[in-house]
Amino acid sequence: QVQQLGGGGSVQAGGSLRLSCSAHIQRDARMYCLGWFRQTPGKEREGVALIGGNDDIYYSDSVRGRFIISEDKVANTFDLQMNSLKPEDTAKYYCAAARGLLCYRYMLQEPTQYNYWGQGTQVTVSS
């Protein structure tokens, strides 16, 4: 029900990439949350951006001002536009969806609240 549509790859610092995910979930009123997370080996999964059914958007401090999350409710997709990429953005990126709850900033730190996960895509930023 959540599938990553690609968009990862390798880029030099300062470059851009766009990740896409399809999310065929039942959107109960506005009670759902769509998120992008990333993970590097040996570290916990980190939430970087969320968009909720209430249209609220949240970013982690590390990506605010550089990444943009958006949702296409007709196509059932959501994207992460990543600009001004840095080597520290290198990670495997996952999209995720949570149903039945409102989306607030705390959901960036709550990966266990998400019901569905994409398969992940690698993003590598070289200096």
Side-chain angles (χ1 to χ4, degrees):
Q1 291 182 317
V2 170
Q3 184 175 6
Q4 291 186 234
L5 303 176
S10 298
V11 66
Q12 288 191 326
S16 298
L17 287 172
R18 188 178 184 93
L19 306 182
S20 294
C21 185
S22 68
H24 292 274
I25 63 170
Q26 185 175 350
R27 288 166 166 81
D28 300 320
R30 300 184 299 167
M31 296 185 69
Y32 66 90
C33 194
L34 305 174
W36 287 96
F37 289 76
R38 66 187 182 188
Q39 191 169 23
T40 55
K43 292 190 176 182
E44 293 186 354
R45 198 163 289 191
E46 173 194 9
V48 297
L50 306 176
I51 185 166
N54 54 5
D55 293 329
D56 285 354
I57 290 176
Y58 303 97
Y59 297 101
S60 67
D61 292 342
S62 60
V63 308
R64 187 178 297 110
R66 301 186 296 121
F67 290 13
I68 301 170
I69 189 171
S70 60
E71 181 190 7
D72 184 333
K73 296 182 181 182
V74 175
N76 289 320
T77 61
F78 63 108
D79 294 351
L80 184 68
Q81 177 66 40
M82 305 185 294
N83 301 319
S84 302
L85 283 160
K86 304 175 181 180
E88 51 263 45
D89 293 318
T90 295
K92 194 165 187 179
Y93 283 72
Y94 298 86
C95 59
R99 287 180 51 203
L101 47 74
L102 292 173
C103 201
Y104 293 112
R105 176 172 294 282
Y106 80 94
M107 289 291 286
L108 284 169
Q109 284 84 41
E110 297 288 341
T112 59
Q113 296 275 1
Y114 291 79
N115 312 101
Y116 310 104
W117 287 87
Q119 68 273 31
T121 187
Q122 180 67 34
V123 170
T124 302
V125 184
S126 58
S127 57

